[in-house]
Amino acid sequence: MKDIQTRTGLRRYLARIGAELSDPASAGTASVGAAAGPDSWRSSRPFCFALVAAAFFLVNFRSLSWGWLGLDDWRFLVTNPHLGHGWESVKWAVTDLQFGRRWTPVLWLVACVCGVPTAFKFHLLAFVLGLVLSLLVTEIYGRGLRHGWVLPAALLFVLSPLRNEVFTWGMGFVYETVAILLCLAWLFRRSALWSGLFIVLALATYPLAAGAALAYLWVRRRSPAAWAVGALLVSLAAFEYHLRINYGVIPWHYRFDYLPIILPHY
């Protein structure tokens, strides 16, 4: 019963978003009182941004002095022989299939910004991207929540222990980049082309954007842009699954009963 209620609620939410996209005027009228008005949010935006930025700095500035934290930091950054070589690194970033076992060009292009990998550079990158993400989330809350809930929700996002890994880990820039692109897709949601473009870039960063791509397909299912994103999603999933099999990352790939576990990761 709980699963049925959850699915029903999700369908209603997606239907409401679809109605908003198809008829912004009526949707905006219907939502008056449910969210902060544009004038109210416009006047409180600088104050909310300042407090969120201050909270983010106070909680995370210490990470700038940390070293590498192990795990994927060592696997993909410290021992990566392809970073720090200028345009050669950029060329590698858009063509690599073997090192990361996925095609994730945006991920590696962002990593190329740091040049030769050092702990400080990547902690600084994660810090800056984390601040940008926090402000984008605050902007989304400001447009979608009641006035009194915007700042508490934004501070909860920034101060939650769940953000610790993303904001303070060298490889945290991967998840931050995906989240920033998906926030931009939401902010540009009235344009099927621009929102679809940001979702495609998120998919080219890391596969965890697939869930947002599926939501986009449902909301924009009558748009050619959605069909293009859907074709890319299916092709990318099949191609990356093929790569993982070829490079031996999934030793039990022939076990079809494992597919429900495997496919969401792609």
Side-chain angles (χ1 to χ4, degrees):
M1 179 64 69
K2 185 176 181 180
D3 291 340
I4 294 175
Q5 293 175 346
T6 301
R7 289 195 296 269
T8 302
L10 179 60
R11 284 196 295 268
R12 289 177 178 174
Y13 174 75
L14 292 176
R16 181 171 63 83
I17 296 297
E20 178 185 351
L21 293 172
S22 61
D23 191 359
S26 62
T29 302
S31 62
V32 171
D39 292 336
S40 174
W41 169 237
R42 191 178 298 113
S43 62
S44 60
R45 180 189 285 125
F47 176 73
C48 290
F49 275 10
L51 281 184
V52 168
F56 179 89
F57 180 84
L58 290 174
V59 171
N60 299 298
F61 80 96
R62 294 174 300 170
S63 66
L64 296 176
S65 63
W66 294 354
W68 298 112
L69 301 181
L71 298 176
D72 286 352
D73 280 2
W74 288 93
R75 169 69 177 84
F76 293 107
L77 299 178
V78 179
T79 61
N80 190 334
H82 307 286
L83 296 177
H85 303 293
W87 287 109
E88 287 298 320
S89 295
V90 172
K91 180 181 178 181
W92 167 82
V94 298
T95 58
D96 172 64
L97 299 176
Q98 184 174 2
F99 185 81
R101 268 60 168 181
R102 296 186 181 98
W103 186 66
T104 52
V106 177
L107 183 159
W108 295 121
L109 286 173
V110 174
C112 286
V113 172
C114 293
V116 178
T118 67
F120 173 75
K121 290 179 183 178
F122 277 93
H123 281 302
L124 180 61
L125 176 64
F127 184 88
V128 172
L129 292 179
L131 177 58
V132 172
L133 174 60
S134 299
L135 295 179
L136 284 174
V137 169
T138 305
E139 177 68 23
I140 290 174
Y141 287 162
R143 298 187 187 190
L145 297 180
R146 294 179 183 272
H147 181 70
W149 288 99
V150 176
L151 186 58
L155 291 176
L156 178 63
F157 175 83
V158 171
L159 302 177
S160 170
L162 296 175
R163 305 286 92 75
N164 188 50
E165 176 185 345
V166 176
F167 291 157
T168 62
W169 187 28
M171 282 294 291
F173 77 92
V174 178
Y175 308 102
E176 292 169 333
T177 302
V178 173
I180 287 171
L181 291 169
L182 294 181
C183 285
L184 291 173
W186 190 90
L187 292 171
F188 285 88
R189 65 194 182 281
R190 300 192 189 281
S191 169
L193 180 61
W194 280 105
S195 57
L197 175 61
F198 287 123
I199 287 176
V200 168
L201 291 175
L203 286 171
T205 305
Y206 202 65
L208 59 83
L214 292 175
Y216 172 83
L217 293 179
W218 174 257
V219 172
R220 290 287 188 179
R221 56 190 178 277
R222 298 180 181 178
S223 169
W227 287 95
V229 172
L232 175 66
L233 178 61
V234 173
S235 301
L236 194 60
F239 178 62
E240 294 194 356
Y241 185 61
H242 172 73
L243 288 178
R244 303 285 256 181
I245 294 173
N246 280 354
Y247 291 117
V249 181
I250 306 176
W252 25 262
H253 61 86
Y254 56 88
R255 290 284 301 278
F256 292 103
D257 53 323
Y258 280 110
L259 286 178
I261 301 175
I262 300 169
L263 293 181
H265 186 60
Y266 293 87

